[in-house]
Amino acid sequence: MIKNLTSIALMILVSVSAFSQDNTNNNKFKQLYQELPTPNAYRTASGAPGPWYYQQQADYKMNIELDDAKQLIKGEETITYTNNSKDPLTYLWLQLDQNVRAQDSETKLISTQTLGKRSSFSHLNRMMTDFDGGFKIEKVTDASGKDLSHTINKTMMRVDLPNTLKPGGKVTFKVKWWYNINNRMEIGGRSGYEYFEEEDNYLYTIAQFFPRMCVYNETEGWQNKQFLGRGEFTLPFGNYEVSLTVPEDHQVAATGELQNASSVLTSEQRDLLNKAKTSDKPVMIVTPDEALEAEKEKKTGTKTWTFKATNVRDFGFASSRKFIWDAIGVKLNDKTVMCMSMYPKEGNPLWEQYSTEVIAHTIRTYSKYTFDYPYPVAWSIHANSIGMEYPMICFNGGRPEKDGTYSEGTKYGMIGVITHEVGHNFFPMIVNSDERQWTWMDEGLNTFVQYLTQSEWSAHYPHRRGPAAKIVPYMKGDKSRISPIMTNSESVWQFGNNAYGKPATALNILRETIMGRELFDYAFKEYCVRWKFKHPTPADFFRTMEDASGVDLDWFWRGWFYTTDHCDISLEEVNWFQINSMNPKEEKKISKEQNESKRKFIGQIRNDTTINFLIDQKPELKDFYDGDYKYTVTEMDEKAYEKKMDKLDEKEKELLGSGMNFYQVKFNNNGGLVMPIILEFTFTDNSKKLVRIPAEIWRQGTEEVWKVFYFEKEVKGIEIDPFLETADVDTDNNYWPRVVRPTRFQMYKSGGYNRGQNPMQKAGMGKKTE
Ligand SMILES: [Zn+2]
């Protein structure tokens, strides 16, 4: 119930508009002129590539040899670099990412460490490793084989050009190298091998294995942020032709289309691949039995697999004799995308049931929200305990127990990681942002579309990120351990929440609450289409989202991307008003009732029943003021009423008699983030009404606002954010009147609870192993 009903004289109604009392902090709606680069002919104010927009191109021809006996990669590459800028270039920069594992790597020096009373072997292994995994650059030459002067600067290499590379010109040069492949399971890494000791086999998931061109553009010049391990990659587009020489019984998956199927696959396998194109279920290309056979037999010769990829920013591959292979075709308009998985038996039964179906679902759903997936294949490769993405191929964890059971966490972790890593084809492999600078531009956008994709998997999908309420624990955390989203990758606190969870949530809030699905989806698609196969910056994203939707979002970017403010809107105060009808008969009756229902002081209550008051003993002491004069309607009252009514026109009289209820509500913004106020009123007849107030209600101040709502019905309760849209960190202050809910706590006796088993094992579903 509402407590304080007040009658108002009608004149109060002139001030129903919202007002604020604090005007000192109203720059939350200031445009982002200082924060964003000035628009120019390369990148326009609308967020699109401008008339002078250009990007460099790097084409690669590579011969790569995987040495399974020594676990090393040997390679030779011919890079053709096209200078599309208007700048003459006298040197080129390449990335030598494997040098992060060189013995003199600075990554080890700058990583901070502590030891507790307990420390795991793997923790110490990673800290104490003296593994030498750096690139051994053997030769850098021009196209004719003449040495080129080059300088290695940690994870980068400068190649000095004998002749200036003019605008529009091309230069071709060669690099020869080798390096030791890291044991991923022991010392970690996005790339590396897993060793299966009991059968003496290796499973390789290989990337960053070749010297790669850095990006040169008008925003940074040559990329000059070293690879320290976290901030990922910044890469130009180009065409790749790669020959991979591996043990002859290995199955190989890679970026691009296989060029020599007839020399590496059996005719039966090629037929099956053809069949898979139009099948509605994944088709086995290499069966579990065939993989098991290869694992045991261990052939000793080699085979060379050749792949070609057009317009990609990188190249990755996987190779093992342990691989089972299945495939299905997904039709997107006039194209068919081959969605394929490779996994060892250790991935089953999860992988044969889900991997390829998840790729297909991801490709379809992402295409709907962005653009049709433009590449011919999409791979998911089983690589225990990681998730890592490359064009057309990604390495994903999700491994069941040895008895074939798995927890719900393992299942959805696997579906989630495959959706996420396949989704990375769109961000950043095609919408090619600078990962070294901005993790959120690929991880955040990708996690957002991942959420949309998982939402179409099942109604009960256990989302980890996306819904606003999921980010609340992070948003209300210690502000000295939180950074704004607009922070360089290496300096971000709480990487997952900052660069994945918060931006994904912010986009979801834009879509569901601030812009609405229609405006948001149009603008988001516009951004994706504008920047596919190009290099967008944060400003290009912010500007396009506003430009294509007609919604000023500077306040939203400012709050969500440039600050660590959180949303905590509280319902501070509610005052109930009704219009004074001016009719003395009605008003005096109401006054009397109100007076009688008022709370009384305990002294008065006791006195009323125990004291024989003097004026009752001596009635001659009573006068006019001891009577009921306040609530008695006099003739003068009636006349005054008639006179007042004569001055009112019909509309005014109607309002006076409407019985309308007014609620003056005070909202406080305790978190600093400006957000819409979403209110649900419940009336005494239990009907409800939703009111959505845009964030601009805070435009003149940010600490408190008042607003008056009016209804014919009486309000029983008010709730802020009833559909959990705003990531409000304290929902206790969202109710009027305040609501208390019970927490149920469990009693227990020590012991007896069977921990450590997943629900499938408890249900007796594990297969017996000998
Ligand atoms: Zn990711």
Side-chain angles (χ1 to χ4, degrees):
M1 292 301 294
I2 308 282
K3 52 178 183 189
N4 42 349
L5 167 65
T6 312
S7 264
I8 45 165
L10 203 57
M11 10 187 340
I12 289 181
L13 287 177
V14 295
S15 65
V16 287
S17 67
F19 62 91
S20 69
Q21 300 186 336
D22 178 342
N23 224 6
T24 54
N25 207 4
N26 61 359
N27 59 3
K28 305 221 168 184
F29 284 85
K30 205 172 94 186
Q31 295 292 294
L32 289 167
Y33 293 128
Q34 280 83 0
E35 289 76 9
L36 301 183
T38 308
N40 53 49
Y42 300 100
R43 291 162 201 272
T44 70
S46 67
W52 290 5
Y53 178 82
Y54 72 88
Q55 61 196 21
Q56 308 292 65
Q57 179 161 342
D59 300 323
Y60 297 79
K61 278 191 179 150
M62 291 192 268
N63 291 313
I64 305 297
E65 198 185 315
L66 169 66
D67 186 335
D68 187 39
K70 295 190 197 141
Q71 297 87 51
L72 54 88
I73 293 273
K74 291 179 208 161
E76 273 186 283
E77 67 184 347
T78 303
I79 301 178
T80 301
Y81 187 74
T82 308
N83 179 13
N84 292 318
S85 79
K86 303 227 184 309
D87 312 329
L89 300 175
T90 53
Y91 49 80
L92 308 175
W93 278 103
L94 284 86
Q95 320 204 23
L96 302 181
D97 314 84
Q98 290 301 335
N99 282 358
V100 84
R101 303 195 179 285
Q103 279 170 326
D104 62 354
S105 160
E106 288 192 346
T107 298
K108 274 195 267 181
L109 293 171
I110 63 161
S111 73
T112 55
Q113 291 134 348
T114 53
L115 283 176
K117 285 194 172 166
R118 289 162 58 84
S119 213
S120 69
F121 281 100
S122 69
H123 176 65
L124 280 192
N125 265 342
R126 282 169 199 231
M127 199 175 89
M128 296 173 68
T129 179
D130 58 354
F131 173 74
D132 177 11
F135 274 123
K136 317 292 174 210
I137 301 292
E138 294 186 320
K139 251 200 298 196
V140 180
T141 70
D142 67 9
S144 67
K146 229 171 85 193
D147 282 346
L148 286 178
S149 145
H150 59 277
T151 303
I152 293 173
N153 171 14
K154 292 164 271 189
T155 63
M156 294 172 68
M157 174 168 75
R158 192 188 69 233
V159 175
D160 301 329
L161 298 173
N163 305 304
T164 299
L165 178 58
K166 297 215 172 77
K170 280 180 202 286
V171 61
T172 298
F173 64 101
K174 298 180 177 202
V175 186
K176 189 174 178 210
W177 74 95
W178 68 273
Y179 73 90
N180 293 308
I181 306 171
N182 50 302
N183 182 337
R184 215 173 40 71
M185 302 308 291
E186 273 181 12
I187 60 168
R190 292 173 174 83
S191 166
Y193 66 77
E194 179 179 359
Y195 178 56
F196 295 80
E197 200 175 356
E198 60 277 26
E199 60 191 57
D200 187 28
N201 273 314
Y202 292 82
L203 188 159
Y204 299 90
T205 43
I206 302 295
Q208 293 93 243
F209 62 93
F210 57 103
R212 306 184 291 181
M213 289 304 306
C214 294
V215 164
Y216 178 86
N217 65 16
E218 95 295 351
T219 57
E220 302 280 339
W222 281 109
Q223 175 222 318
N224 48 43
K225 265 208 176 302
Q226 294 276 335
F227 183 41
L228 299 178
R230 195 159 78 175
E232 291 185 302
F233 311 109
T234 310
L235 299 155
F237 287 105
N239 302 322
Y240 285 66
E241 192 179 330
V242 183
S243 291
L244 301 165
T245 300
V246 301
E248 67 169 307
D249 53 358
H250 276 209
Q251 301 299 337
V252 178
T255 300
E257 270 182 307
L258 181 61
Q259 301 297 302
N260 61 337
S262 58
S263 57
V264 292
L265 302 180
T266 65
S267 67
E268 196 199 343
Q269 286 168 339
R270 281 178 275 144
D271 288 346
L272 287 167
L273 273 172
N274 242 334
K275 208 181 112 195
K277 266 186 201 158
T278 51
S279 168
D280 56 4
K281 267 191 233 130
V283 172
M284 283 286 173
I285 312 301
V286 174
T287 66
D289 285 344
E290 289 166 335
L292 206 59
E293 197 57 35
E295 276 182 10
K296 285 179 188 152
E297 214 177 322
K298 293 195 184 74
K299 291 189 178 152
T300 51
T302 62
K303 246 186 204 173
T304 298
W305 299 56
T306 304
F307 294 87
K308 264 190 185 175
T310 307
N311 217 2
V312 289
R313 54 165 251 172
D314 201 358
F315 191 99
F317 71 94
S319 185
S320 180
R321 61 173 60 91
K322 289 177 64 61
F323 279 145
I324 301 161
W325 175 358
D326 67 35
I328 193 172
V330 165
K331 229 173 124 43
L332 291 175
N333 291 314
D334 54 345
K335 280 181 52 188
T336 299
V337 180
M338 287 304 281
C339 299
M340 304 193 276
S341 303
M342 280 192 186
Y343 43 92
K345 61 179 187 296
E346 285 77 5
N348 277 338
L350 269 179
W351 275 67
E352 62 189 6
Q353 186 174 3
Y354 290 119
S355 176
T356 296
E357 293 281 10
V358 176
I359 308 172
H361 175 60
T362 304
I363 293 294
R364 280 196 200 97
T365 314
Y366 273 67
S367 294
K368 185 169 75 184
Y369 288 107
T370 61
F371 42 77
D372 278 2
Y373 181 71
Y375 293 135
V377 298
W379 283 103
S380 161
I381 310 298
H382 179 89
N384 199 17
S385 68
I386 58 163
M388 190 55 207
E389 69 278 10
Y390 300 93
M392 301 185 225
I393 188 168
C394 50
F395 310 147
N396 307 309
R399 189 170 288 181
E401 304 296 330
K402 284 202 165 78
D403 66 3
T405 64
Y406 45 85
S407 66
E408 196 180 16
T410 301
K411 172 188 168 178
Y412 286 109
M414 175 231 185
I415 294 176
V417 76
I418 296 176
T419 308
H420 181 93
E421 307 308 339
V422 172
H424 269 307
N425 274 296
F426 294 81
F427 318 95
M429 298 307 152
I430 298 166
V431 179
N432 188 353
S433 56
D434 182 343
E435 295 180 278
R436 188 67 48 91
Q437 294 288 356
W438 308 114
T439 301
W440 71 268
M441 281 201 79
D442 68 300
E443 298 298 356
L445 270 58
N446 184 37
T447 302
F448 165 67
V449 188
Q450 177 194 351
Y451 163 75
L452 297 178
T453 304
Q454 289 171 172
S455 302
E456 295 189 25
W457 181 270
S458 69
H460 55 269
Y461 194 98
H463 297 289
R464 219 174 121 213
R465 292 174 171 136
K470 299 265 178 199
I471 201 70
V472 164
Y474 169 71
M475 297 294 276
K476 72 176 175 197
D478 176 359
K479 296 286 192 220
S480 68
R481 291 289 180 272
I482 298 179
S483 21
I485 293 174
M486 284 296 288
T487 300
N488 175 263
S489 184
E490 292 290 340
S491 306
V492 161
W493 284 101
Q494 296 199 48
F495 201 60
N497 284 320
N498 175 292
Y500 296 61
K502 188 177 171 187
T505 310
L507 296 188
N508 216 14
I509 290 173
L510 283 179
R511 183 170 189 259
E512 300 287 8
T513 303
I514 313 288
M515 301 166 78
R517 290 186 175 193
E518 200 183 323
L519 286 176
F520 178 91
D521 288 352
Y522 181 89
F524 188 74
K525 207 177 180 86
E526 178 68 15
Y527 166 75
C528 298
V529 170
R530 279 180 178 181
W531 291 98
K532 76 171 174 175
F533 295 119
K534 295 195 171 71
H535 300 281
T537 64
D540 300 320
F541 177 69
F542 296 150
R543 286 171 171 151
T544 297
M545 290 304 289
E546 294 187 320
D547 198 73
S549 68
V551 183
D552 171 19
L553 297 170
D554 284 40
W555 63 271
F556 188 85
W557 308 133
R558 187 180 288 285
W560 277 85
F561 288 73
Y562 286 86
T563 77
T564 57
D565 289 348
H566 61 267
C567 172
D568 179 15
I569 299 174
S570 67
L571 226 166
E572 283 298 304
E573 198 176 319
V574 179
N575 303 301
W576 179 17
F577 294 90
Q578 288 178 327
I579 298 172
N580 185 322
S581 69
M582 297 196 253
N583 182 341
K585 273 190 198 135
E586 280 177 41
E587 294 303 326
K588 291 209 165 176
K589 190 170 158 237
I590 291 170
S591 301
K592 192 175 181 189
E593 282 165 8
Q594 283 183 347
N595 188 48
E596 280 164 1
S597 66
K598 259 189 197 157
R599 279 292 186 187
K600 279 185 184 157
F601 168 56
I602 190 157
Q604 191 189 345
I605 295 171
R606 286 172 180 159
N607 292 345
D608 280 350
T609 55
T610 55
I611 294 180
N612 186 7
F613 295 106
L614 183 64
I615 61 162
D616 292 333
Q617 295 172 43
K618 292 187 157 191
E620 66 273 22
L621 295 180
K622 286 186 181 173
D623 75 350
F624 177 78
Y625 294 108
D626 291 309
D628 208 17
Y629 77 96
K630 278 185 191 162
Y631 307 116
T632 310
V633 180
T634 66
E635 205 173 309
M636 257 171 75
D637 289 340
E638 300 269 27
K639 284 217 166 107
Y641 173 58
E642 269 167 40
K643 239 174 134 180
K644 277 183 207 159
M645 292 305 282
D646 282 347
K647 286 184 191 156
L648 299 182
D649 63 26
E650 280 315 303
K651 224 176 151 190
E652 287 166 336
K653 280 182 196 162
E654 202 182 308
L655 178 59
L656 210 56
S658 65
M660 198 66 87
N661 294 290
F662 295 85
Y663 299 90
Q664 173 181 287
V665 185
K666 181 185 176 193
F667 302 98
N668 275 21
N669 182 344
N670 305 322
L673 192 64
V674 287
M675 285 295 278
I677 304 175
I678 299 150
L679 291 170
E680 188 178 70
F681 291 90
T682 304
F683 301 100
T684 45
D685 65 358
N686 287 326
S687 61
K688 290 176 191 293
K689 184 176 168 64
L690 191 72
V691 177
R692 292 176 171 275
I693 302 170
E696 281 80 358
I697 191 171
W698 304 104
R699 69 198 176 283
Q700 292 193 340
T702 55
E703 284 175 16
E704 62 174 57
V705 288
W706 290 84
K707 193 166 177 65
V708 174
F709 304 88
Y710 54 95
F711 310 101
E712 276 174 16
K713 293 177 188 173
E714 274 179 31
V715 170
K716 187 165 79 170
I718 310 176
E719 183 180 349
I720 293 184
D721 196 20
F723 303 110
L724 309 174
E725 299 174 57
T726 61
D728 192 319
V729 307
D730 181 3
T731 49
D732 286 349
N733 58 26
N734 286 12
Y735 297 92
W736 205 95
R738 295 289 192 247
V739 172
V740 191
R741 292 202 169 80
T743 301
R744 295 179 71 83
F745 63 95
Q746 208 169 11
M747 312 278 302
Y748 65 91
K749 283 188 169 183
S750 320
Y753 182 70
N754 193 1
R755 285 168 202 282
Q757 276 196 315
N758 69 47
M760 284 174 83
Q761 287 166 328
K762 284 177 198 158
M765 289 167 71
K767 64 174 185 244
K768 300 269 176 296
T769 43
E770 67 278 7

